[in-house]
């Protein structure tokens, strides 16, 4: 899953990930890139996703755009939706209400795990 520019998504199984028993996720994705470093999600981290078609304003979501998947904070305006990175070097993706068919929310990020350096 891209944490920056969306990348192509493929249906493939990479393996199992052990996590804390308190994490009730439907699936997990491996982060790629640096657009979410402000949320402490780094390249290579595992992000646990609860599958759901909607999120609350400001929550981090896995979002499918065409054939790609990206991780961003989702913000709702009166006539637009913004997908915001947590790194100021990356641009905000903004969609008008007429363009919402171009993406869909796959689920809400509920936890992540990464390596301790």
């Amino acid at each position: 899953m891209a944490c920056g520019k969306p990348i192509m998504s493929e249906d493939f199984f990479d393996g199992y990930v052990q996590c804390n028993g308190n994490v009730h996720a439907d699936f997990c994705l491996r982060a790629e890139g640096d657009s979410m470093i402000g949320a402490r999600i780094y390249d290579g981290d595992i992000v646990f996703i609860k599958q759901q078609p909607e999120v609350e304003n400001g929550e981090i979501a896995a979002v499918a755009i065409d054939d790609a998947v990206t991780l961003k904070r989702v913000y709702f305006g009166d006539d637009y939706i913004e997908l915001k990175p947590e790194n100021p070097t990356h641009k905000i993706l903004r969609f008008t209400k007429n363009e919402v068919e171009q993406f869909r929310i796959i689920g809400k990020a509920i936890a992540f795990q990464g390596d301790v350096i």
Side-chain angles (χ1 to χ4, degrees):
M1 164 192 52
C3 290
K5 180 180 175 190
I7 59 172
M8 296 300 292
S9 66
E10 297 176 11
D11 291 332
F12 67 93
F13 177 76
D14 195 23
Y16 291 99
V17 175
Q18 288 187 337
C19 65
N20 181 321
N22 294 330
V23 175
H24 301 289
D26 295 307
F27 60 95
C28 59
L29 302 167
R30 184 176 307 276
E32 294 180 13
D34 66 353
S35 77
M36 295 303 289
I37 60 174
R40 295 182 7 186
I41 300 171
Y42 298 98
D43 187 55
D45 285 355
I46 302 297
V47 181
F48 296 91
I49 307 292
K50 181 178 190 290
Q51 189 170 356
Q52 58 187 63
E54 297 177 359
V55 294
E56 296 292 322
N57 199 43
E59 290 184 322
I60 297 174
V63 180
I65 302 172
D66 298 323
D67 292 329
V69 177
T70 190
L71 188 70
K72 297 285 181 282
R73 282 202 187 272
V74 179
Y75 291 96
F76 302 96
D78 290 336
D79 61 347
Y80 64 90
I81 297 172
E82 287 185 341
L83 305 178
K84 287 189 175 183
E86 286 284 334
N87 181 338
T89 65
H90 291 268
K91 71 177 189 171
I92 295 169
L93 302 174
R94 188 175 193 153
F95 298 89
T96 66
K97 296 288 183 180
N98 296 333
E99 298 172 318
V100 294
E101 298 82 27
Q102 294 181 12
F103 74 92
R104 92 182 148 87
I105 295 171
I106 298 172
K108 175 182 171 180
I110 59 169
F112 67 92
Q113 81 183 29
D115 294 329
V116 177
I117 299 174

